[in-house]
Amino acid sequence: QTVLQSDMGAQNETAVAEFILEGFSGLNQRLQLLLSLILPLVYLTTVIGNTTIIFLFHVDHHLQTPMYFFIGNLAFLEICFTSSTTIMLLMMLSSGRRTISVSSCFAQSYFYFALGCAEFAFLVVMSFDRYVAICQPLHYAAIMKRELCTHLVIAAWVTGFTLSSYHLVLLSKLTFCGPNKIHHFFCDNSPLFKLSCSDTSLLWKADSVLISSVVLGSLSLITVSYVLIFHCILHMPSASGRK
């Protein structure tokens, strides 16, 4: 009997091979059709807009400055971040197939959070760039050299993907042996944790602490940069300089 229960437990733990994304499934057919027409246009506009920014940075030598270098990288990041959830959603709306494998679901969740963390890091880097440009204008060119800008961009990408690696580790420790319907249009953390038959209390706490640290940490650094910027502007002697 013990062996039989053990076998049944093992089967239950591996029973879920795919998830069903139920996002927007409650809408009537007309609204789903409208959504399937609007979303591609919004996504295409986002991609074209950000691609145009990247293209202009590369072809216009007047834009070959650190500020536009960071903006170009942020534009590329925005394309990746938007694509991490929108492409799957568009496929669901066009085909009507709402299933996603467990591994694909974990991968989507990881890239979503990794790219999100990287975006916070980019905003910190860009606020630092503005601080140097405004508060240290005579030393700006010497400080913000191409090598430093490249290192800062790499650091932002690495920070996002490294901090989010814990996310993939947490997900890999979960077992799913019950319902497989995710009440969302992508594999977010909260609905995944709720579907797991594992003890997720520690995972909830770890996830909350890390996300809060990323958001509040980046917000604090950006706030410090802009406080210093405003302080510098207010102490400029001429009105034209302050303007």
Side-chain angles (χ1 to χ4, degrees):
Q1 184 179 0
T2 303
V3 173
L4 180 60
Q5 288 176 345
S6 177
D7 290 341
M8 289 177 64
Q11 289 175 357
N12 285 337
E13 286 188 356
T14 58
V16 176
E18 60 184 16
F19 295 108
I20 300 172
L21 296 169
E22 291 196 316
F24 304 121
S25 61
L27 299 177
N28 60 49
Q29 191 172 2
R30 183 175 296 180
L31 285 175
Q32 287 198 36
L33 178 61
L34 180 63
L35 200 62
S36 64
L37 294 174
I38 293 176
L39 274 178
L41 292 176
V42 174
Y43 176 65
L44 193 61
T45 303
T46 302
V47 172
I48 291 175
N50 285 298
T51 303
T52 302
I53 292 172
I54 298 169
F55 174 75
L56 289 175
F57 169 74
H58 284 287
V59 298
D60 191 343
H61 69 277
H62 293 102
L63 301 181
Q64 303 291 320
T65 63
M67 182 178 74
Y68 288 104
F69 176 67
F70 294 135
I71 290 175
N73 277 275
L74 184 65
F76 176 69
L77 176 61
E78 276 294 321
I79 294 174
C80 297
F81 182 70
T82 307
S83 300
S84 67
T85 55
T86 309
I87 290 178
M88 179 63 69
L89 177 59
L90 293 176
M91 290 172 60
M92 284 167 39
L93 291 172
S94 60
S95 66
R97 186 173 181 271
R98 298 181 175 275
T99 58
I100 182 172
S101 67
V102 173
S103 56
S104 297
C105 189
F106 287 179
Q108 185 190 53
S109 182
Y110 170 70
F111 280 106
Y112 174 79
F113 280 96
L115 293 167
C117 289
E119 185 159 353
F120 279 110
F122 262 105
L123 295 176
V124 172
V125 168
M126 293 173 75
S127 69
F128 170 73
D129 171 66
R130 292 300 83 205
Y131 162 74
V132 178
I134 296 171
C135 299
Q136 303 289 334
L138 299 180
H139 301 286
Y140 181 71
I143 295 173
M144 300 302 293
K145 292 181 179 179
R146 184 76 181 194
E147 294 80 6
L148 177 61
C149 294
T150 303
H151 290 157
L152 289 173
V153 166
I154 293 173
W157 282 99
V158 171
T159 298
F161 280 85
T162 302
L163 287 178
S164 295
S165 59
Y166 93 99
H167 185 78
L168 201 57
V169 174
L170 293 183
L171 290 177
S172 65
K173 293 182 180 297
L174 297 179
T175 54
F176 299 91
C177 49
N180 66 336
K181 294 182 179 180
I182 298 176
H183 300 290
H184 212 325
F185 64 88
F186 78 101
C187 296
D188 199 2
N189 246 15
S190 178
L192 279 176
F193 286 176
K194 289 177 182 177
L195 290 179
S196 176
C197 50
S198 310
D199 180 13
T200 58
S201 56
L202 182 61
L203 301 183
W204 278 107
K205 292 176 182 177
D207 200 51
S208 299
V209 167
L210 193 75
I211 291 175
S212 299
S213 300
V214 170
V215 174
L216 295 177
S218 59
L219 178 62
S220 299
L221 292 172
I222 291 170
T223 302
V224 168
S225 295
Y226 279 93
V227 166
L228 293 174
I229 287 172
F230 285 124
H231 181 268
C232 180
I233 291 172
L234 292 174
H235 285 77
M236 287 180 177
S238 66
S240 60
R242 288 195 297 272
K243 185 177 180 180

